[in-house]
Tab-separated table of all heavy atoms in Angstrom:
chain	number	residue	atom	x	y	z
A	1	ASN	N	-26.618	-2.038	-5.266
A	1	ASN	CA	-26.871	-1.538	-3.963
A	1	ASN	C	-25.584	-0.963	-3.485
A	1	ASN	O	-24.546	-1.549	-3.389
A	1	ASN	CB	-27.401	-2.746	-3.029
A	1	ASN	CG	-28.590	-3.350	-3.485
A	1	ASN	OD1	-29.638	-2.688	-3.734
A	1	ASN	ND2	-28.541	-4.662	-3.879
A	2	GLN	N	-25.671	0.253	-2.801
A	2	GLN	CA	-24.650	0.846	-2.241
A	2	GLN	C	-24.064	0.127	-1.074
A	2	GLN	O	-22.823	0.140	-0.825
A	2	GLN	CB	-25.058	2.298	-1.728
A	2	GLN	CG	-25.253	3.257	-2.888
A	2	GLN	CD	-25.535	4.675	-2.369
A	2	GLN	OE1	-25.817	4.875	-1.281
A	2	GLN	NE2	-25.518	5.694	-3.341
A	3	GLY	N	-24.897	-0.669	-0.357
A	3	GLY	CA	-24.280	-1.493	0.822
A	3	GLY	C	-23.451	-2.624	0.249
A	3	GLY	O	-22.683	-3.013	1.157
A	4	VAL	N	-23.459	-2.904	-0.962
A	4	VAL	CA	-22.573	-3.757	-1.584
A	4	VAL	C	-21.387	-3.000	-2.278
A	4	VAL	O	-20.237	-3.407	-2.093
A	4	VAL	CB	-23.249	-4.773	-2.558
A	4	VAL	CG1	-22.305	-5.567	-3.368
A	4	VAL	CG2	-24.417	-5.583	-1.944
A	5	GLN	N	-21.702	-1.930	-2.933
A	5	GLN	CA	-20.578	-1.278	-3.550
A	5	GLN	C	-19.640	-0.616	-2.635
A	5	GLN	O	-18.384	-0.799	-2.866
A	5	GLN	CB	-21.292	-0.085	-4.346
A	5	GLN	CG	-22.320	-0.477	-5.597
A	5	GLN	CD	-22.853	0.634	-6.316
A	5	GLN	OE1	-22.588	1.902	-5.943
A	5	GLN	NE2	-23.523	0.427	-7.327
A	6	PHE	N	-20.036	-0.069	-1.632
A	6	PHE	CA	-19.171	0.789	-0.822
A	6	PHE	C	-18.041	0.046	-0.112
A	6	PHE	O	-16.831	0.412	-0.082
A	6	PHE	CB	-19.923	1.610	0.094
A	6	PHE	CG	-20.676	2.728	-0.386
A	6	PHE	CD1	-20.837	2.920	-1.861
A	6	PHE	CD2	-21.495	3.540	0.339
A	6	PHE	CE1	-21.375	3.868	-2.485
A	6	PHE	CE2	-22.151	4.702	-0.299
A	6	PHE	CZ	-22.118	4.961	-1.556
A	7	PRO	N	-18.351	-1.112	0.515
A	7	PRO	CA	-17.274	-1.880	1.084
A	7	PRO	C	-16.272	-2.444	0.058
A	7	PRO	O	-15.022	-2.457	0.338
A	7	PRO	CB	-18.003	-3.222	1.800
A	7	PRO	CG	-19.442	-2.698	1.939
A	7	PRO	CD	-19.623	-1.699	0.915
A	8	ILE	N	-16.655	-2.736	-1.035
A	8	ILE	CA	-15.831	-3.149	-2.094
A	8	ILE	C	-14.976	-1.995	-2.636
A	8	ILE	O	-13.760	-2.071	-2.719
A	8	ILE	CB	-16.600	-3.783	-3.390
A	8	ILE	CG1	-17.337	-4.969	-2.974
A	8	ILE	CG2	-15.587	-4.134	-4.484
A	8	ILE	CD1	-18.320	-5.502	-3.972
A	9	ALA	N	-15.567	-0.816	-2.778
A	9	ALA	CA	-14.921	0.339	-3.168
A	9	ALA	C	-13.825	0.714	-2.140
A	9	ALA	O	-12.647	1.139	-2.425
A	9	ALA	CB	-15.797	1.410	-3.408
A	10	GLU	N	-14.177	0.631	-0.919
A	10	GLU	CA	-13.372	0.901	0.227
A	10	GLU	C	-12.093	-0.014	0.161
A	10	GLU	O	-10.928	0.440	0.334
A	10	GLU	CB	-14.153	0.799	1.582
A	10	GLU	CG	-13.306	1.297	2.715
A	10	GLU	CD	-13.185	2.650	2.871
A	10	GLU	OE1	-14.181	3.402	2.476
A	10	GLU	OE2	-12.331	3.318	3.472
A	11	ALA	N	-12.299	-1.229	-0.006
A	11	ALA	CA	-11.243	-2.126	-0.030
A	11	ALA	C	-10.309	-1.908	-1.233
A	11	ALA	O	-9.104	-2.020	-1.081
A	11	ALA	CB	-11.800	-3.725	-0.213
A	12	ARG	N	-10.902	-1.493	-2.373
A	12	ARG	CA	-10.065	-1.246	-3.563
A	12	ARG	C	-9.202	-0.031	-3.254
A	12	ARG	O	-7.922	0.107	-3.591
A	12	ARG	CB	-10.841	-1.070	-4.776
A	12	ARG	CG	-10.227	-0.558	-6.081
A	12	ARG	CD	-9.032	-1.518	-6.428
A	12	ARG	NE	-8.460	-1.011	-7.648
A	12	ARG	CZ	-8.761	-1.299	-8.924
A	12	ARG	NH1	-9.751	-2.183	-9.156
A	12	ARG	NH2	-8.113	-0.842	-9.890
A	13	ILE	N	-9.710	0.994	-2.583
A	13	ILE	CA	-8.933	2.253	-2.258
A	13	ILE	C	-7.761	1.785	-1.357
A	13	ILE	O	-6.606	2.188	-1.519
A	13	ILE	CB	-9.799	3.238	-1.540
A	13	ILE	CG1	-10.872	3.747	-2.609
A	13	ILE	CG2	-8.999	4.392	-1.066
A	13	ILE	CD1	-11.906	4.568	-1.887
A	14	GLU	N	-8.042	1.002	-0.351
A	14	GLU	CA	-6.951	0.741	0.590
A	14	GLU	C	-5.857	-0.131	-0.145
A	14	GLU	O	-4.719	-0.067	0.261
A	14	GLU	CB	-7.553	-0.121	1.721
A	14	GLU	CG	-8.363	0.706	2.653
A	14	GLU	CD	-9.020	-0.021	3.817
A	14	GLU	OE1	-8.675	-1.261	3.874
A	14	GLU	OE2	-9.729	0.566	4.590
A	15	ILE	N	-6.265	-1.066	-1.025
A	15	ILE	CA	-5.176	-1.861	-1.773
A	15	ILE	C	-4.378	-0.961	-2.579
A	15	ILE	O	-3.130	-1.108	-2.591
A	15	ILE	CB	-6.021	-2.882	-2.653
A	15	ILE	CG1	-6.598	-3.945	-1.853
A	15	ILE	CG2	-4.986	-3.671	-3.632
A	15	ILE	CD1	-7.673	-4.687	-2.647
A	16	GLU	N	-4.950	-0.037	-3.317
A	16	GLU	CA	-4.190	0.869	-4.047
A	16	GLU	C	-3.139	1.743	-3.174
A	16	GLU	O	-1.956	2.082	-3.643
A	16	GLU	CB	-5.154	1.772	-4.912
A	16	GLU	CG	-5.763	1.102	-6.001
A	16	GLU	CD	-5.042	0.645	-7.252
A	16	GLU	OE1	-3.815	0.595	-7.225
A	16	GLU	OE2	-5.782	0.120	-8.224
A	17	ALA	N	-3.725	2.183	-2.063
A	17	ALA	CA	-2.873	2.880	-1.132
A	17	ALA	C	-1.654	2.208	-0.659
A	17	ALA	O	-0.637	2.564	-0.581
A	17	ALA	CB	-3.734	3.556	0.005
A	18	ALA	N	-1.993	0.906	-0.311
A	18	ALA	CA	-0.840	0.005	0.170
A	18	ALA	C	0.109	-0.269	-0.937
A	18	ALA	O	1.341	-0.383	-0.608
A	18	ALA	CB	-1.558	-1.366	0.632
A	19	ASP	N	-0.352	-0.474	-2.115
A	19	ASP	CA	0.556	-0.497	-3.285
A	19	ASP	C	1.643	0.666	-3.412
A	19	ASP	O	2.793	0.263	-3.648
A	19	ASP	CB	-0.330	-0.662	-4.551
A	19	ASP	CG	0.478	-1.348	-5.618
A	19	ASP	OD1	1.497	-2.123	-5.303
A	19	ASP	OD2	0.022	-1.257	-6.808
A	20	LEU	N	1.260	1.713	-3.088
A	20	LEU	CA	2.169	2.823	-3.174
A	20	LEU	C	3.214	2.710	-2.135
A	20	LEU	O	4.362	3.144	-2.503
A	20	LEU	CB	1.437	4.229	-3.042
A	20	LEU	CG	0.412	4.569	-4.095
A	20	LEU	CD1	-0.516	5.790	-3.804
A	20	LEU	CD2	1.013	4.685	-5.402
A	21	MET	N	2.877	2.356	-0.951
A	21	MET	CA	3.934	2.081	0.102
A	21	MET	C	4.738	0.964	-0.288
A	21	MET	O	6.041	0.930	0.070
A	21	MET	CB	3.126	2.017	1.376
A	21	MET	CG	4.202	1.800	2.623
A	21	MET	SD	5.293	3.168	2.861
A	21	MET	CE	4.152	4.419	3.473
A	22	ARG	N	4.286	-0.103	-0.909
A	22	ARG	CA	5.079	-1.207	-1.313
A	22	ARG	C	6.224	-0.781	-2.305
A	22	ARG	O	7.288	-1.157	-2.051
A	22	ARG	CB	4.169	-2.325	-2.102
A	22	ARG	CG	4.906	-3.487	-2.557
A	22	ARG	CD	5.320	-3.368	-4.058
A	22	ARG	NE	4.222	-3.501	-4.974
A	22	ARG	CZ	3.824	-4.353	-5.580
A	22	ARG	NH1	4.486	-5.500	-5.698
A	22	ARG	NH2	2.767	-4.291	-6.465
A	23	TRP	N	5.886	0.096	-3.264
A	23	TRP	CA	6.792	0.539	-4.098
A	23	TRP	C	7.961	1.410	-3.425
A	23	TRP	O	9.036	1.352	-3.814
A	23	TRP	CB	6.260	1.417	-5.276
A	23	TRP	CG	5.294	0.609	-6.024
A	23	TRP	CD1	4.007	0.794	-6.337
A	23	TRP	CD2	5.697	-0.674	-6.897
A	23	TRP	NE1	3.532	-0.261	-7.223
A	23	TRP	CE2	4.480	-1.020	-7.526
A	23	TRP	CE3	6.901	-1.227	-7.216
A	23	TRP	CZ2	4.565	-2.179	-8.469
A	23	TRP	CZ3	6.958	-2.402	-7.942
A	23	TRP	CH2	5.743	-2.804	-8.680
A	24	GLU	N	7.498	2.238	-2.493
A	24	GLU	CA	8.577	2.985	-1.720
A	24	GLU	C	9.516	2.044	-0.907
A	24	GLU	O	10.566	2.420	-0.781
A	24	GLU	CB	7.725	3.979	-0.844
A	24	GLU	CG	8.687	4.816	0.028
A	24	GLU	CD	9.682	5.754	-0.782
A	24	GLU	OE1	9.439	5.865	-1.869
A	24	GLU	OE2	10.627	6.224	-0.045
A	25	ALA	N	8.965	1.078	-0.276
A	25	ALA	CA	9.834	0.193	0.403
A	25	ALA	C	10.663	-0.558	-0.493
A	25	ALA	O	11.928	-0.696	-0.115
A	25	ALA	CB	8.896	-0.809	1.148
A	26	CYS	N	10.334	-0.920	-1.685
A	26	CYS	CA	11.055	-1.561	-2.680
A	26	CYS	C	12.222	-0.657	-3.074
A	26	CYS	O	13.388	-1.026	-3.150
A	26	CYS	CB	10.265	-2.106	-3.749
A	26	CYS	SG	9.281	-3.523	-3.554
A	27	ARG	N	11.854	0.536	-3.362
A	27	ARG	CA	12.857	1.476	-3.814
A	27	ARG	C	13.933	1.746	-2.897
A	27	ARG	O	15.171	1.752	-3.258
A	27	ARG	CB	12.091	2.949	-4.133
A	27	ARG	CG	13.038	4.054	-4.741
A	27	ARG	CD	12.510	5.339	-4.721
A	27	ARG	NE	12.252	5.848	-3.339
A	27	ARG	CZ	13.278	6.291	-2.606
A	27	ARG	NH1	14.613	6.401	-3.208
A	27	ARG	NH2	13.130	6.649	-1.371
A	28	ARG	N	13.513	1.932	-1.600
A	28	ARG	CA	14.537	2.145	-0.633
A	28	ARG	C	15.401	0.917	-0.385
A	28	ARG	O	16.732	1.058	-0.109
A	28	ARG	CB	13.841	2.588	0.744
A	28	ARG	CG	13.179	3.851	0.631
A	28	ARG	CD	12.510	4.311	1.936
A	28	ARG	NE	13.516	4.620	2.953
A	28	ARG	CZ	13.961	5.858	3.197
A	28	ARG	NH1	13.464	6.747	2.392
A	28	ARG	NH2	14.738	6.051	4.101
A	29	PHE	N	14.921	-0.337	-0.387
A	29	PHE	CA	15.602	-1.427	-0.200
A	29	PHE	C	16.564	-1.612	-1.326
A	29	PHE	O	17.770	-2.010	-1.136
A	29	PHE	CB	14.644	-2.721	-0.173
A	29	PHE	CG	15.305	-4.049	0.124
A	29	PHE	CD1	15.553	-4.547	1.365
A	29	PHE	CD2	15.882	-4.799	-0.865
A	29	PHE	CE1	16.146	-5.629	1.669
A	29	PHE	CE2	16.540	-6.046	-0.609
A	29	PHE	CZ	16.715	-6.490	0.617
A	30	ASP	N	16.107	-1.398	-2.552
A	30	ASP	CA	17.006	-1.631	-3.762
A	30	ASP	C	18.101	-0.598	-3.824
A	30	ASP	O	19.221	-0.815	-4.383
A	30	ASP	CB	16.166	-1.612	-5.043
A	30	ASP	CG	15.450	-2.911	-5.243
A	30	ASP	OD1	15.704	-3.937	-4.617
A	30	ASP	OD2	14.353	-2.888	-5.857
A	31	ALA	N	17.811	0.617	-3.203
A	31	ALA	CA	18.850	1.649	-3.156
A	31	ALA	C	19.769	1.585	-1.919
A	31	ALA	O	20.539	2.419	-1.788
A	31	ALA	CB	18.207	3.005	-3.163
A	32	MET	N	19.702	0.362	-1.154
A	32	MET	CA	20.424	0.294	-0.024
A	32	MET	C	20.139	1.376	1.053
A	32	MET	O	21.045	1.697	1.845
A	32	MET	CB	21.832	0.050	-0.275
A	32	MET	CG	22.318	-1.038	-1.263
A	32	MET	SD	22.176	-2.685	-0.681
A	32	MET	CE	23.657	-2.653	0.423
A	33	GLU	N	18.999	1.997	1.102
A	33	GLU	CA	18.578	2.937	2.061
A	33	GLU	C	17.788	2.274	3.139
A	33	GLU	O	17.110	1.188	3.010
A	33	GLU	CB	17.753	4.057	1.498
A	33	GLU	CG	18.447	4.809	0.325
A	33	GLU	CD	17.485	5.710	-0.423
A	33	GLU	OE1	16.204	5.976	0.005
A	33	GLU	OE2	17.912	6.370	-1.431
A	34	PRO	N	17.791	2.912	4.451
A	34	PRO	CA	17.011	2.455	5.592
A	34	PRO	C	15.576	2.287	5.069
A	34	PRO	O	14.920	3.213	4.525
A	34	PRO	CB	17.165	3.447	6.649
A	34	PRO	CG	18.449	4.116	6.345
A	34	PRO	CD	18.615	4.202	4.762
A	35	CYS	N	14.975	1.161	5.266
A	35	CYS	CA	13.516	0.875	4.840
A	35	CYS	C	12.708	0.117	5.815
A	35	CYS	O	11.616	-0.356	5.496
A	35	CYS	CB	13.595	0.053	3.472
A	35	CYS	SG	14.248	-1.556	3.582
A	36	GLY	N	13.187	0.083	7.114
A	36	GLY	CA	12.466	-0.649	8.130
A	36	GLY	C	10.983	-0.001	8.278
A	36	GLY	O	10.045	-0.805	8.290
A	37	ALA	N	10.893	1.201	8.375
A	37	ALA	CA	9.517	1.838	8.463
A	37	ALA	C	8.692	1.539	7.309
A	37	ALA	O	7.404	1.198	7.473
A	37	ALA	CB	9.718	3.421	8.711
A	38	GLN	N	9.289	1.771	6.234
A	38	GLN	CA	8.449	1.465	4.929
A	38	GLN	C	7.992	0.179	4.797
A	38	GLN	O	6.887	-0.192	4.262
A	38	GLN	CB	9.225	1.952	3.675
A	38	GLN	CG	9.419	3.484	3.607
A	38	GLN	CD	10.400	4.023	4.597
A	38	GLN	OE1	11.299	3.238	5.136
A	38	GLN	NE2	10.387	5.330	4.952
A	39	ALA	N	8.824	-0.871	5.080
A	39	ALA	CA	8.642	-2.200	4.937
A	39	ALA	C	7.507	-2.636	5.894
A	39	ALA	O	6.509	-3.324	5.465
A	39	ALA	CB	9.799	-3.085	5.176
A	40	ASN	N	7.560	-2.220	7.140
A	40	ASN	CA	6.587	-2.476	8.076
A	40	ASN	C	5.209	-1.855	7.794
A	40	ASN	O	4.102	-2.442	7.918
A	40	ASN	CB	6.962	-1.978	9.343
A	40	ASN	CG	7.896	-3.013	10.242
A	40	ASN	OD1	7.478	-4.142	10.429
A	40	ASN	ND2	9.144	-2.589	10.334
A	41	MET	N	5.240	-0.614	7.300
A	41	MET	CA	4.125	-0.005	6.919
A	41	MET	C	3.380	-0.632	5.728
A	41	MET	O	2.146	-0.805	5.724
A	41	MET	CB	4.258	1.561	6.624
A	41	MET	CG	4.602	2.376	7.876
A	41	MET	SD	4.896	4.145	7.263
A	41	MET	CE	5.433	4.916	8.939
A	42	ALA	N	4.214	-0.994	4.760
A	42	ALA	CA	3.636	-1.539	3.535
A	42	ALA	C	2.858	-2.992	3.943
A	42	ALA	O	1.793	-3.164	3.462
A	42	ALA	CB	4.744	-1.907	2.534
A	43	LYS	N	3.586	-3.715	4.738
A	43	LYS	CA	2.936	-4.989	5.107
A	43	LYS	C	1.742	-4.729	5.884
A	43	LYS	O	0.688	-5.428	5.737
A	43	LYS	CB	4.015	-5.761	5.909
A	43	LYS	CG	3.690	-7.287	6.135
A	43	LYS	CD	2.890	-7.465	7.550
A	43	LYS	CE	2.672	-8.953	7.730
A	43	LYS	NZ	1.826	-9.089	9.131
A	44	HIS	N	1.617	-3.765	6.912
A	44	HIS	CA	0.470	-3.579	7.557
A	44	HIS	C	-0.661	-3.021	6.738
A	44	HIS	O	-1.867	-3.586	6.792
A	44	HIS	CB	0.822	-2.412	8.661
A	44	HIS	CG	-0.329	-2.003	9.468
A	44	HIS	ND1	-0.701	-2.683	10.587
A	44	HIS	CD2	-1.153	-0.967	9.411
A	44	HIS	CE1	-1.798	-2.100	11.130
A	44	HIS	NE2	-2.042	-1.014	10.417
A	45	LEU	N	-0.437	-2.139	5.872
A	45	LEU	CA	-1.443	-1.633	4.908
A	45	LEU	C	-1.915	-2.833	4.147
A	45	LEU	O	-3.287	-2.812	3.790
A	45	LEU	CB	-0.947	-0.494	4.213
A	45	LEU	CG	-0.613	0.809	5.008
A	45	LEU	CD1	0.020	1.842	4.052
A	45	LEU	CD2	-1.940	1.450	5.582
């Protein structure tokens, strides 16, 4: 049923998008670059 499929698919999309911001926050932190915005956005997403 699409009523079951779509919320699960929506959640998966959001998880994958959040994952990309996580990697950017990590990259900036490890490079000693300012990362406050990225860390906060990653946590929020």
Side-chain angles (χ1 to χ4, degrees):
N1 299 301
Q2 289 185 345
V4 173
Q5 292 179 358
F6 288 3
I8 301 173
E10 186 79 28
R12 174 59 180 265
I13 291 168
E14 292 183 2
I15 293 165
E16 294 287 9
D19 200 22
L20 296 176
M21 184 58 76
R22 178 266 291 255
W23 293 119
E24 176 61 8
C26 288
R27 184 194 68 77
R28 295 178 71 92
F29 184 93
D30 287 337
M32 304 285 284
E33 297 176 8
C35 64
Q38 292 75 19
N40 278 292
M41 290 179 183
K43 193 268 181 179
H44 177 81
L45 291 171

